[in-house]
Amino acid sequence: MAGMSVADMAGLFLRPGAPIRIEAFDGSSWGESDAPVTLRVRNSRAVYYMVQHPGELGLARAYLQGDVDSPQLVPGDPYEVFRRLTAVKPYMRRPDPRGLARALAMVASHGIRLPKPPSIEGPSRLRRISEGLLPHTKAGDAATVSYHYDQSNEFYAMFLGPSMTYTCALFDSPQESLEDAQSAKLNLVLDKLGLEAGDRLLDIGCGWGSMEILAAKRGIHVLGVTLAEEQVSWGQDWIRREGLDDLAEIRLMDYRDVPEGGFDGICSLGMMEHVGIRHYPKYFREIFAKLKPGGMLLNHQITRTNSYVGKSAGPFIDRYIFPDGQLASPGEIETRIQNTGFEVIHEENLRQHYALTLHHWNANLQSHWEEAVRLVGEPKARLWGLYMAGSALNFELNTIQIHQYLCIRPDGRGTDSYPLRPWWHSR
């Protein structure tokens, strides 16, 4: 692109001394050769992606297609590059309008191009609505959950490990294995709920069935529901292999359609991100109605850190990971729980644990990288590495958190309906 190089364009947005080097396909470069991180712009398509969608969506498209990369980057685990890029943020600047206009004119002189997004990109929110998939309706939820979870079960198994547990684990120390930490998390949920053999548990958004297996082995009658067909198939087969058909069941069903009630306990682990904040009151009312008096809810969900930041995910997450996903702050969630009629007994933040969990998942993906690429293609394998590493960094930086709320449906007996002190083993 004669007249203004790609490096010149990058320099419009960076102050001198920024700890980054840009190397471009036109032979230009910006920054010191010994910078902590180098980004390579391999072709003009990357430039057009960034012009069309400045910010995370354009950059993600370029990365997933291999148009932007880094010599420091590990595709299955790009965490280290993300961590180094955080040092660049203070050097970012608003470009001079004349320089920006010149850069845009330079790009336009080569023709107005709108390169196609990667084939794995989902439709925009407006397109989903135009197709009748309204956010957080039954049809909309079924479509968006299927988009995320109805992938290859074998692909998920590569990074989740044998437990097939796609939520935050619980660690005694950073050295603990992922399997032990996931077992500890599932046991903690059942212990908090105070469930015993013969009790009935509803698991909303049950995933591949790890909770169903453990609960049934404790003698608990458990019903899991999910909107992902691949998960149902995996979970039902797992239950049969373990010989637990008399205690555990998994259904392809919206939680709102579960006809049974009077459950002793209900858990929802990593499902609330799909509900939509406006629908929280209805969600908690549904759960309240399905619990018997004195029954308990364990709600486990990712949250914002505070209530004044945006609730909806950005365009990258919306199109590639969790369509229509929303996150509220811990206080906003607890208020809605209490307003439903629940009493919140206990709440805790497991932010650090989720960062550790994601590092394990990234390490697993990287160790199976060639197999993952063969199974789902490099763009999708890159996508999951990108998403998990970025999430790990955001948990570490306290941009997002994950909270567990233990709640009881009051039974009218007064103050002695549960023990005076926590009855579960604290880790």
Side-chain angles (χ1 to χ4, degrees):
M1 293 183 177
M4 190 175 198
S5 70
V6 173
D8 291 334
M9 295 179 191
L12 292 172
F13 298 88
L14 294 166
R15 300 182 190 279
I20 187 172
R21 180 174 174 80
I22 308 293
E23 298 177 351
F25 62 93
D26 62 357
S28 65
S29 63
W30 188 97
E32 300 298 325
S33 59
D34 60 350
V37 64
T38 297
L39 292 185
R40 297 182 295 207
V41 183
R42 291 195 167 275
N43 54 47
S44 62
R45 182 169 62 179
V47 177
Y48 285 104
Y49 274 146
M50 291 301 298
V51 170
Q52 185 181 3
H53 288 283
E56 64 178 41
L57 183 58
L59 187 58
R61 285 177 170 178
Y63 169 70
L64 296 178
Q65 300 279 65
D67 301 337
V68 170
D69 67 8
S70 168
Q72 292 90 22
L73 188 144
V74 178
D77 189 3
Y79 169 83
E80 184 58 29
V81 167
F82 287 170
R83 189 185 64 79
R84 295 183 187 187
L85 286 173
T86 60
V88 178
K89 188 175 181 180
Y91 292 85
M92 298 294 293
R93 65 181 176 183
R94 187 184 299 274
D96 173 74
R98 288 175 297 179
L100 183 60
R102 183 175 166 224
L104 292 174
M106 184 68 241
V107 174
S109 71
H110 290 261
I112 303 299
R113 303 179 194 175
L114 299 175
K116 292 182 178 180
S119 61
I120 62 172
E121 182 173 306
S124 67
R125 184 178 289 111
L126 286 177
R127 181 179 163 189
R128 296 194 299 269
I129 292 173
S130 71
E131 294 174 352
L133 299 175
L134 300 178
H136 311 302
T137 60
K138 289 183 179 179
D141 287 348
T144 56
V145 169
S146 177
Y147 171 79
H148 184 88
Y149 294 105
D150 282 334
Q151 311 288 339
S152 162
N153 285 332
E154 290 73 21
F155 174 64
Y156 278 107
M158 286 179 191
F159 62 87
L160 295 181
S163 75
M164 290 298 282
T165 306
Y166 196 24
T167 55
C168 172
L170 186 72
F171 292 84
D172 270 335
S173 73
Q175 290 73 41
E176 187 172 13
S177 72
L178 176 62
E179 289 310 302
D180 286 346
Q182 288 291 16
S183 176
K185 187 275 303 295
L186 295 173
N187 277 294
L188 176 68
V189 170
L190 294 176
D191 291 345
K192 281 184 173 182
L193 289 170
L195 297 175
E196 300 177 350
D199 286 342
R200 297 172 60 239
L201 169 67
L202 172 63
D203 181 13
I204 297 175
C206 65
W208 289 269
S210 55
M211 177 61 78
E212 283 59 43
I213 297 299
L214 179 61
K217 287 183 176 179
R218 286 190 175 200
I220 297 165
H221 295 271
V222 56
L223 168 62
V225 295
T226 175
L227 295 175
E229 293 184 16
E230 291 289 327
Q231 291 181 335
V232 173
S233 176
W234 179 286
Q236 289 177 339
D237 183 60
W238 193 0
I239 289 169
R240 284 192 295 269
R241 292 199 314 270
E242 296 284 348
L244 298 170
D245 306 69
D246 58 329
L247 289 168
E249 179 185 1
I250 292 179
R251 297 178 191 165
L252 184 67
M253 179 177 283
D254 191 294
Y255 72 95
R256 289 163 285 197
D257 294 330
V258 173
E260 293 93 340
F263 289 97
D264 299 284
I266 295 178
C267 63
S268 175
L269 311 181
M271 182 273 190
M272 278 287 286
E273 296 85 346
H274 300 287
V275 169
I277 295 169
R278 187 165 62 89
H279 299 273
Y280 282 5
K282 183 178 180 181
Y283 169 81
F284 287 116
R285 287 196 300 269
E286 289 273 358
I287 293 176
F288 191 90
K290 287 179 169 59
L291 278 171
K292 72 179 187 181
M296 292 189 184
L297 161 68
L298 191 290
N299 199 68
H300 169 115
Q301 69 181 99
I302 299 173
T303 74
R304 296 292 189 196
T305 303
N306 52 61
S307 60
Y308 53 81
V309 296
K311 307 296 192 251
S312 296
F316 165 68
I317 293 293
D318 186 69
R319 296 199 190 191
Y320 283 96
I321 306 296
F322 289 119
D324 299 324
Q326 289 186 319
L327 302 178
S329 71
E332 291 171 307
I333 296 164
E334 183 163 347
T335 296
R336 286 162 172 81
I337 295 173
Q338 298 274 20
N339 288 347
T340 306
F342 281 107
E343 177 184 358
V344 177
I345 299 172
H346 185 267
E347 181 276 333
E348 63 178 316
N349 178 11
L350 299 176
R351 175 183 63 82
Q352 297 165 296
H353 297 261
Y354 216 152
L356 290 170
T357 304
L358 286 154
H359 284 309
H360 277 279
W361 290 346
N362 270 125
N364 287 344
L365 177 60
Q366 184 57 32
S367 68
H368 294 89
W369 182 250
E370 293 184 1
E371 185 181 357
V373 170
R374 286 196 300 270
L375 192 61
V376 299
E378 185 163 357
K380 182 160 286 187
R382 278 178 173 248
L383 170 63
W384 249 252
L386 176 71
Y387 163 59
M388 295 189 297
S391 296
L393 183 62
N394 276 291
F395 279 113
E396 290 175 349
L397 296 176
N398 195 30
T399 305
I400 50 177
Q401 301 174 345
I402 183 158
H403 288 255
Q404 281 192 356
Y405 300 87
L406 179 63
C407 323
I408 189 168
R409 174 177 172 172
D411 62 3
R413 292 191 297 141
T415 61
D416 61 347
S417 56
Y418 55 86
L420 288 172
R421 298 295 298 153
W423 52 92
W424 59 89
H425 175 59
S426 180
R427 300 191 67 187

